[in-house]
Amino acid sequence: MTKTIKSKNSSVSEFEAVIGLEVHAELETKSKMFCACPVVDHNLVEPNTAVCPVCSGMPGVLPVVNQRAVEYALRVALALECEIAPVSIFARKNYFYPDLPKGYQISQYEQPLAVNGRLTILTSQGERHIPVRRVHLEEDTGKLTHVEGDEERYSLIDLNRAGIPLLEIVSEPELHSAEEVRAFAVALRSLLLYLGVNTGDMQKGVLRIEPNVSVRPAGSSEFGTRTEIKNLNSFRALEKSVGYEIQRQIKLNRQGKQVVQETMGWDEAVEETIPQRSKEEAHDYRYFPEPDLPPLVIEKGWIERVQSSLPELPLVKLRRFQEQYGLSAGDAGMLTANPAVADYFEGTANAATGLTAKSAANWITVEIFAFMNQAGVGIEDIEVEPQQLAALIKMVNNGEINQNTAKTVLVEMLQTGETAESIVEKRSLRQISDSGYIAELVKRVLEENPEQVATYLKGKQGLSGWFFGQVMRAAKGKADPQIVKQELERQLGEMDQ
Amino acid sequence: MTLTLEEVEHIAELARLKISPQEKNRYREQLSEILEYASRLGDVDTSGVNPTSSVLSDRNTLRGDEPRSGMGVKALLFNAPDVEKDQFRVPPVLE
């Protein structure tokens, strides 16, 4: 299949981008991959406090595989529709680097846990199935901190992260644009969240996505020289860096220059990829089967148990939300990206009768999301239960409070945890639907502003919004906006005759 | 089977070892002898034998996911040649 990509210079480019992704996801087990050290947040905990002779590479120790790590890996592999190897083997990947205490990383090489899967992505072009080449288990490395003083430069090593179970997921190079790369990352992150195996936090490095990018003449089946981009800590950085790298390589091609095979970093400030300064030498990992570990045997029964325990997956939920609740693809996508948000939505939509799912979706994706972003919290951290949000929406639907008042009430609910009912009572925010009273307010506003009325009657219809604002102010924002509008129209209409 | 000097240099580079020209020659001889000896395995007729990656039994030995506290930072860093802020201190990694 050939797809062309858009470039700045021409609507249809004569080049095609070819992108594959290598993803590393830490597995949220309680203990490490090959020893019982606790898995801790290495960004928060004191350095070197979750380390033992096994994960620090002391002599004479032996690794033992964490069963739950295998279970989590199976969940992901099955959700990606992979074939599970009945027997897979661990291998040593040898290289010397200070973050690797043993001098090798225990990984999988020739017989990985799972192969031949696929992930469905959604882009503006529609739906695509991206093949997944392999999924395998390995261990994370330690964390290096580089210190640059005036006089001296050195590095510090914290081994808390060393040995945390790591899942490597490799796609086939069948992505062709920055948008598709982002869509893959979004879909995979969602999947990991649903499976409860990873928090999806790219900022903290718990989920690391490394694209390798090359370009070739459109229609060619040969691959161009590829570069790899590392240290991307957000979807935005991922998408931007891939877009930049594609354009950079196309430009080199047009100039008849060679793309150099190298590892790139991403400079967030100038939004450019830059070659990493590290010495590039031929990788020579001298893989060989790990003599300290027996082959990993996955019996059919285990696969079946894991398969039957898989939750409803993101794409299935998205389709169901569209069908069951009549939501748009956009709303359904936003609500199903995170399983906690999806549960919250369903809790709200099903909490009360006479409440449309669409309105629940709106309140969550607009007001609740805005609050979460501002406060930097997840939906599981907010004070307002789905039932309480439903109660608020119901008050709007019943005409007890108007939309604007409801927004203010929700903010207070989110800040204090109080119910909508009690806030409305306490502040006497109940909507005024008494048309006689509203007619009085309208009359008073028109009498107090004869000049504006005259201008309006001369044909400046735009002033109706201003009158509306004045009436609402007189009503302290509590008047039913529909009735205010009708009443304004009626009284101004009468004057016009 | 004789290693070339370049191969010896490559191995030293991978192991981050700086070795003298004399050592290069000596290791070339010694490593070649070891490889020569091990290559005898190639004489064994293995036709009809499945590739074997492990001589351990084909039964899983898995560990429950029960965390236990580690060895403590003091013991961990006890033999470290250089320490700062409870971490190993090493020469700069980035060029």
Side-chain angles (χ1 to χ4, degrees), chain A residues 337-391:
Chain A
N338 183 317
V341 172
D343 288 348
Y344 192 94
F345 163 75
E346 291 209 277
T348 308
N350 299 327
T353 49
L355 176 151
T356 63
K358 177 70 188 159
S359 63
N362 279 344
W363 279 96
I364 293 168
T365 57
V366 181
E367 306 301 330
I368 302 262
F369 278 13
F371 178 84
M372 281 160 51
N373 281 337
Q374 209 184 355
V377 297
I379 205 150
E380 53 282 347
D381 304 319
I382 65 172
E383 301 271 3
V384 178
E385 296 293 317
Q387 294 79 356
Q388 293 174 284
L389 177 64

Side-chain angles (χ1 to χ4, degrees), chain A residues 108-119:
Chain A
Q108 296 194 295
Y109 187 55
E110 278 180 335
Q111 290 180 54
L113 180 75
V115 295
N116 291 338
R118 64 175 195 167
L119 178 65

Side-chain angles (χ1 to χ4, degrees), chain A residues 6-130:
Chain A
K6 286 188 174 165
S7 81
K8 280 173 189 153
N9 303 332
S10 55
S11 60
V12 177
S13 169
E14 67 269 38
F15 291 99
E16 176 191 52
V18 179
I19 308 144
L21 296 181
E22 192 176 301
V23 179
H24 289 96
E26 282 182 9
L27 296 176
E28 269 189 272
T29 51
K30 294 193 182 78
S31 65
K32 288 185 177 179
M33 184 67 211
F34 300 114
C35 63
C37 283
V39 168
V40 294
D41 184 338
H42 34 86
N43 298 289
L44 296 178
V45 165
E46 290 297 309
N48 290 314
T49 49
V51 183
C52 76
V54 175
C55 57
S56 60
M58 298 290 176
V61 297
L62 287 172
V64 187
V65 173
N66 181 339
Q67 175 162 11
R68 197 190 308 261
V70 179
E71 178 110 8
Y72 282 5
L74 284 175
R75 278 191 207 172
V76 178
L78 289 171
L80 289 169
E81 302 172 50
C82 288
E83 297 159 22
I84 309 293
V87 178
S88 68
I89 61 174
F90 287 99
R92 285 190 186 180
K93 180 180 181 178
N94 299 279
Y95 63 96
F96 275 104
Y97 204 68
D99 63 7
L100 198 63
K102 296 193 291 291
Y104 57 85
Q105 178 191 34
I106 303 180
S107 180
Q108 296 194 295
Y109 187 55
E110 278 180 335
Q111 290 180 54
L113 180 75
V115 295
N116 291 338
R118 64 175 195 167
L119 178 65
T120 305
I121 64 168
L122 299 173
T123 70
S124 52
Q125 315 287 310
E127 196 176 290
R128 274 195 71 204
H129 304 296
I130 307 300

Side-chain angles (χ1 to χ4, degrees), chain A residues 235-287:
Chain A
F235 287 144
R236 187 177 174 278
L238 175 68
E239 185 174 12
K240 288 249 171 195
S241 64
V242 169
Y244 178 88
E245 188 57 21
I246 292 171
Q247 292 305 327
R248 186 185 73 88
Q249 293 188 15
I250 287 178
K251 204 165 142 195
L252 285 174
N253 268 278
R254 287 222 174 96
Q255 293 168 341
K257 291 180 186 161
Q258 293 290 319
V259 173
V260 180
Q261 179 165 355
E262 59 190 338
T263 302
M264 313 292 282
W266 174 242
D267 189 330
E268 193 79 55
V270 294
E271 302 202 330
E272 285 178 14
T273 54
I274 37 165
Q276 300 275 62
R277 282 180 300 165
S278 65
K279 223 193 299 176
E280 198 64 31
E281 52 192 299
H283 291 302
D284 187 353
Y285 294 129
R286 293 149 294 146
Y287 283 98

Side-chain angles (χ1 to χ4, degrees), chain A residues 149-394:
Chain A
D150 295 335
E151 300 274 302
E152 42 176 14
R153 295 168 55 240
Y154 53 92
S155 299
L156 296 176
I157 309 170
D158 169 17
L159 295 178
N160 281 347
R161 195 179 66 181
I164 289 182
L166 202 59
L167 196 66
E168 181 173 311
I169 301 157
V170 184
S171 86
E172 292 292 347
E174 292 194 22
L175 296 157
H176 298 292
S177 69
E179 190 203 355
E180 286 188 348
V181 167
R182 187 199 176 98
F184 187 98
V186 166
L188 184 60
R189 178 178 183 272
S190 242
L191 201 65
L192 296 173
L193 289 176
Y194 273 64
L195 298 170
V197 302
N198 182 278
T199 57
D201 195 332
M202 292 175 73
Q203 204 74 41
K204 279 188 178 170
V206 172
L207 176 63
R208 312 193 277 269
I209 303 177
E210 289 160 7
N212 52 68
V213 180
S214 65
V215 300
R216 64 185 176 195
S220 162
S221 55
E222 310 257 305
F223 290 114
T225 306
R226 64 179 191 179
T227 59
E228 186 183 14
I229 314 174
K230 288 203 176 210
N231 297 321
L232 300 169
N233 57 15
S234 67
F235 287 144
R236 187 177 174 278
L238 175 68
E239 185 174 12
K240 288 249 171 195
S241 64
V242 169
Y244 178 88
E245 188 57 21
I246 292 171
Q247 292 305 327
R248 186 185 73 88
Q249 293 188 15
I250 287 178
K251 204 165 142 195
L252 285 174
N253 268 278
R254 287 222 174 96
Q255 293 168 341
K257 291 180 186 161
Q258 293 290 319
V259 173
V260 180
Q261 179 165 355
E262 59 190 338
T263 302
M264 313 292 282
W266 174 242
D267 189 330
E268 193 79 55
V270 294
E271 302 202 330
E272 285 178 14
T273 54
I274 37 165
Q276 300 275 62
R277 282 180 300 165
S278 65
K279 223 193 299 176
E280 198 64 31
E281 52 192 299
H283 291 302
D284 187 353
Y285 294 129
R286 293 149 294 146
Y287 283 98
F288 63 85
E290 168 61 67
D292 289 344
L293 286 170
L296 181 62
V297 181
I298 310 289
E299 273 152 16
K300 263 207 174 115
W302 196 2
I303 297 175
E304 283 160 11
R305 277 200 305 281
V306 175
Q307 181 85 57
S308 64
S309 74
L310 292 183
E312 182 182 36
L313 296 177
L315 199 59
V316 179
K317 206 186 270 289
L318 188 151
R319 299 280 182 249
R320 179 167 68 78
F321 276 20
Q322 283 184 273
E323 225 165 86
Q324 184 177 341
Y325 299 106
L327 298 181
S328 68
D331 278 350
M334 271 194 280
L335 291 169
T336 53
N338 183 317
V341 172
D343 288 348
Y344 192 94
F345 163 75
E346 291 209 277
T348 308
N350 299 327
T353 49
L355 176 151
T356 63
K358 177 70 188 159
S359 63
N362 279 344
W363 279 96
I364 293 168
T365 57
V366 181
E367 306 301 330
I368 302 262
F369 278 13
F371 178 84
M372 281 160 51
N373 281 337
Q374 209 184 355
V377 297
I379 205 150
E380 53 282 347
D381 304 319
I382 65 172
E383 301 271 3
V384 178
E385 296 293 317
Q387 294 79 356
Q388 293 174 284
L389 177 64
L392 173 77
I393 300 171
K394 230 181 146 186

